[in-house]
Amino acid sequence: MTKCAVLFVCLGNICRSPVAQGVFAQKLGQAGLADQVEVDSAGTAAWHVGKAPDSRMVQAAGERGYDLSYLRARQAVVEDFDKFDHILAMDQENYEDLCHIRPQEAQAKLALFLDYASGVEETEVPDPYYGGQKGFHHVIDLVEAASDGLIESLKL
Ligand code: 4NP
């Protein structure tokens, strides 16, 4: 039975939040916690709705043992604040955009994902979309660290 639901949010839902979803889900599985947490991702923008993750991120994630092929982009909606207990934004702009659609009575905890990454100085997961392949691997480094911290903090 699921104990909580976690939503990862970036701008396009084709680079950062899908890999956060894939990495976090895989780590939950490895910890034997997959059936206790519902995991999803979304974008603040609608540009890529219905699309698979960016092929550069699929490749980088695949090299690190994460399968993102089953994911399709969707836009974050007001109802997400009802459905999810934790909503994790990749950067400050995503966080502020989410604040704008957040209902006043919302119970979901909204935070920057890297708040959960111990030993990491950066506060935002940088947008890799316009950069080279190295940027995609850096995103995965950050997402792995934050996923470990988030799993620990959920105390499942
Ligand atoms: P994401 O990256 O927010 O990590 O999915 C981006 C994807 C697409 C665009 C920007 C960022 N875009 O401008 O289309």
Side-chain angles (χ1 to χ4, degrees):
M1 201 189 69
T2 58
K3 286 188 181 163
C4 74
V6 176
L7 179 69
F8 299 100
V9 179
C10 62
L11 177 60
N13 193 212
I14 55 167
C15 296
R16 293 165 293 174
S17 60
V19 81
Q21 178 180 354
V23 168
F24 186 67
Q26 188 156 319
K27 284 180 176 288
L28 283 172
Q30 285 161 353
L33 300 170
D35 57 345
Q36 299 197 33
V37 187
E38 185 178 335
V39 190
D40 197 7
S41 66
T44 55
W47 309 317
H48 301 284
V49 168
K51 286 196 205 153
D54 187 289
S55 58
R56 297 163 297 173
M57 184 56 94
V58 171
Q59 158 118 19
E63 288 166 10
R64 310 270 288 252
Y66 303 108
D67 175 25
L68 307 184
S69 62
Y70 63 100
L71 300 174
R72 294 295 177 270
R74 73 166 179 90
Q75 190 173 23
V77 291
V78 172
E79 291 74 25
D80 287 326
F81 283 91
D82 264 345
K83 184 168 176 203
F84 292 91
D85 304 292
H86 295 269
I87 300 182
L88 287 319
M90 296 298 130
D91 65 29
Q92 192 65 36
E93 188 183 318
N94 309 147
Y95 181 92
E96 282 162 24
D97 287 343
L98 288 165
C99 285
H100 285 128
I101 64 161
R102 178 187 200 162
Q104 248 178 358
E105 70 284 2
Q107 298 292 311
K109 185 174 179 215
L110 175 60
L112 283 172
F113 187 29
L114 291 193
D115 288 352
Y116 291 92
S118 62
V120 171
E121 284 197 7
E122 287 154 274
T123 58
E124 302 178 294
V125 181
D127 182 351
Y129 191 68
Y130 294 105
Q133 197 66 11
K134 242 175 97 178
F136 289 85
H137 280 286
H138 181 55
V139 166
I140 299 172
D141 291 340
L142 297 171
V143 160
E144 285 179 333
S147 294
D148 288 337
L150 178 58
I151 288 175
E152 205 159 305
S153 87
L154 292 177
K155 300 194 192 320
L156 296 162

